[in-house]
């Protein structure tokens, strides 16, 4: 049994100030460097339009500038003592960092490629044919971009959003959403409950890792409360989904005692999330309520059968073994991120 697509998170882009590249006359008449300067100028001009601009067009702009930068052999800052690059924190725009470093510029650019990819993924209609697959691919591309940005920032000082902790959290979040897409696809395809449980459990683990990072320094209080609540809620919801699907498989095997324990565990997870994850989207509460209702129905049936027929002992929740998990996603490589031929045909404008 499938369920309606749940809301996903996209990452805001970093904004940048204008940087007048190559004021040195040595470069002024070069067609290549003119293109580079124009690409940088258009990047900063469009920085204020990221929320309205088509994310596919935005990423194309970012990738064009990236290709031009890849052809630059020397750091332009070495030729212009006044040249530096300023980028604002994506989540706290009042915080910014200015550095005379081409590596810093490339890392911020790659961060925005990841942000644009996440916006493309969220814009995809996952209910349409091929939509889930397209969104999954874009989330994996976003995960790879955030990882690449962190690698580029090694030895560089930046804003919090570009630190190793934030990069790891964003990568895990994108993988969680990609894995959740795999779960949606498995449900729609009628995959066995046991297999669906493994996919859901891995999505829950990715969400748990992301949540564990945002509630401790240096990320604590850096993200909007709605972000934290959604990540927390998704962790509980996917854990409950995993328990529910696993319990269905247990019922088929007449392992009613453990089925009861798994269902109760999943119900408790949802109840706790609805109580503590304040500020999550209302549609998530609707999905959770429907799942809770289904689990309660199965629990009532299992309890009745156990009391009348099986009389099996119900194990305590703390004695339950961890559910098996199966990851179906990975962070995209740099070549996959930069491969414009991989553009999805399911993007929304």
């Amino acid at each position: 049994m499938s369920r309606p697509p749940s809301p996903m998170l996209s990452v805001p882009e970093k904004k940048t100030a204008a940087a007048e590249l190559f004021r040195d006359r040595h470069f002024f008449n070069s067609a290549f460097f003119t293109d580079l300067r124009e690409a940088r100028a258009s990047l900063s001009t469009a920085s204020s339009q990221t929320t309205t601009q088509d994310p596919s067009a935005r990423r194309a702009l970012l990738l064009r500038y990236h290709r031009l930068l890849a052809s630059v052999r020397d750091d332009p800052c070495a030729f212009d003592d006044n040249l530096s690059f300023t980028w604002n924190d994506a989540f706290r725009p009042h915080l910014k960092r200015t550095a005379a470093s081409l590596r810093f510029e490339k890392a911020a650019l790659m961060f925005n490629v990841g942000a644009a990819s996440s916006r493309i993924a969220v814009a995809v209609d996952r209910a349409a044919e091929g939509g889930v697959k397209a969104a999954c691919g874009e989330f994996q591309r976003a995960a790879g971009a955030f990882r690449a940005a962190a690698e580029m920032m090694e030895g560089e000082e930046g804003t919090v959003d570009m630190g190793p902790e934030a990069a790891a959290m964003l990568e895990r979040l994108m993988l969680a959403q990609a894995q959740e897409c795999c779960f949606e696809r498995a449900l729609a395809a009628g995959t066995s409950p046991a297999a669906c449980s493994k996919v859901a459990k891995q999505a829950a683990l990715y969400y748990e890792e992301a949540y564990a990072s945002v509630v401790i320094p240096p990320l604590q209080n850096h993200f909007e409360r709605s972000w934290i609540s959604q990540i927390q809620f998704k962790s509980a919801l996917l854990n409950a989904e995993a328990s529910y699907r696993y319990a269905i498989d247990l019922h088929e095997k007449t392992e009613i005692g453990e089925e009861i324990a798994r269902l109760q565990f999943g119900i408790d997870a949802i109840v706790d999330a609805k109580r503590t994850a304040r500020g999550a989207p209302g549609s998530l509460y609707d999905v959770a309520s429907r799942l809770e209702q289904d689990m309660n129905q199965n629990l009532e049936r299992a309890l009745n059968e156990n009391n009348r027929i099986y009389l099996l002992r119900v194990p305590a929740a703390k004695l339950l073994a961890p559910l098996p998990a199966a990851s179906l996603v990975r962070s995209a490589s740099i070549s996959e991120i930069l491969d414009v031929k991989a553009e999805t045909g399911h993007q929304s404008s």
Side-chain angles (χ1 to χ4, degrees), residues 139-170:
F139 280 130
Q140 291 177 89
R141 189 173 297 177
F146 292 128
R147 169 183 280 188
E151 292 172 350
M152 294 176 186
M153 281 297 292
E154 291 181 1
E156 295 280 343
E157 182 181 347
T159 43
V160 174
D161 61 339
M162 297 184 71
E165 298 87 358
M169 188 282 292
L170 291 174

Side-chain angles (χ1 to χ4, degrees), residues 23-342:
R23 286 177 289 188
D24 192 294
R25 287 179 300 171
H26 176 70
F27 299 117
F28 188 77
N29 293 319
S30 167
F32 168 76
F33 286 112
T34 298
D35 289 344
L36 187 64
R37 293 171 65 185
E38 290 177 352
R40 192 18 164 113
S42 63
L43 187 70
S44 56
T45 300
S47 183
S48 61
Q49 305 171 355
T50 56
T51 57
T52 58
Q53 188 177 23
D54 171 28
S56 297
R58 178 64 178 174
R59 185 169 65 184
L61 178 67
L62 294 165
L63 291 177
R64 176 175 178 269
Y65 182 44
H66 183 279
R67 286 193 293 271
L68 291 170
L69 283 183
S71 301
V72 177
R73 296 181 179 179
D74 302 308
D75 192 330
C77 299
F79 298 95
D80 188 345
D81 293 337
N82 297 316
L83 175 61
S84 59
F85 303 101
T86 299
W87 289 88
N88 298 69
D89 190 291
F91 302 96
R92 290 287 183 262
H94 65 283
L95 303 175
K96 61 184 178 180
R97 166 71 176 165
T98 300
S101 167
L102 189 60
R103 286 183 60 196
F104 175 63
E105 174 85 340
K106 289 179 177 178
L109 183 65
M110 185 54 62
F111 181 101
N112 276 3
V113 169
S117 296
S118 75
R119 288 177 59 214
I120 293 171
V122 169
V124 169
D125 180 5
R126 304 201 307 280
E129 183 179 356
V132 171
K133 181 179 180 181
C136 182
E138 291 298 346
F139 280 130
Q140 291 177 89
R141 189 173 297 177
F146 292 128
R147 169 183 280 188
E151 292 172 350
M152 294 176 186
M153 281 297 292
E154 291 181 1
E156 295 280 343
E157 182 181 347
T159 43
V160 174
D161 61 339
M162 297 184 71
E165 298 87 358
M169 188 282 292
L170 291 174
E171 181 184 10
R172 277 294 178 265
L173 175 59
M174 295 299 108
L175 289 177
Q177 296 186 145
Q179 182 79 10
E180 186 178 356
C181 288
C182 292
F183 175 63
E184 292 176 354
R185 184 165 53 176
L187 289 182
T191 306
S192 70
C196 287
S197 175
K198 291 180 181 180
V199 180
K201 182 59 181 179
Q202 184 60 58
L205 291 174
Y206 283 139
Y207 276 117
E208 286 175 5
E209 291 171 356
Y211 179 70
S213 297
V214 297
V215 294
I216 61 174
L219 304 184
Q220 187 180 26
N221 301 322
H222 195 74
F223 296 90
E224 296 292 336
R225 178 63 202 175
S226 60
W227 256 60
I228 299 173
S229 294
Q230 182 160 330
I231 295 171
Q232 179 188 5
F233 208 122
K234 282 291 189 78
S235 173
L237 181 61
L238 271 299
N239 267 317
E241 288 277 14
S243 296
Y244 177 50
R245 310 295 162 178
Y246 195 81
I248 293 174
D249 186 64
L250 289 171
H251 189 83
E252 294 174 356
K253 298 175 180 177
T254 64
E255 298 179 16
I256 308 302
E258 184 178 351
E259 177 195 4
I260 293 171
R262 295 291 182 184
L263 288 170
Q264 190 61 64
F265 177 86
I267 293 169
D268 290 344
I270 290 177
V271 171
D272 184 63
K274 290 168 70 175
R275 179 177 55 85
T276 60
R278 303 294 177 85
S283 57
L284 268 184
Y285 288 89
D286 294 338
V287 171
S289 294
R290 286 194 293 270
L291 177 58
E292 183 183 4
Q293 182 179 9
D294 292 340
M295 297 183 79
N296 274 314
Q297 289 176 353
N298 284 14
L299 178 60
E300 183 179 1
R301 179 194 62 185
L303 286 170
N304 287 336
E305 291 182 2
N306 195 45
N307 291 334
R308 290 187 297 104
I309 304 170
Y310 300 107
L311 302 176
L312 296 173
R313 183 181 63 84
V314 178
K318 63 181 180 181
L319 298 179
L320 294 173
L323 290 179
S327 178
L328 303 181
V329 299
R330 61 176 177 81
S331 299
S333 66
I334 284 289
S335 61
E336 291 169 325
I337 296 167
L338 302 179
D339 183 9
V340 294
K341 295 179 181 179

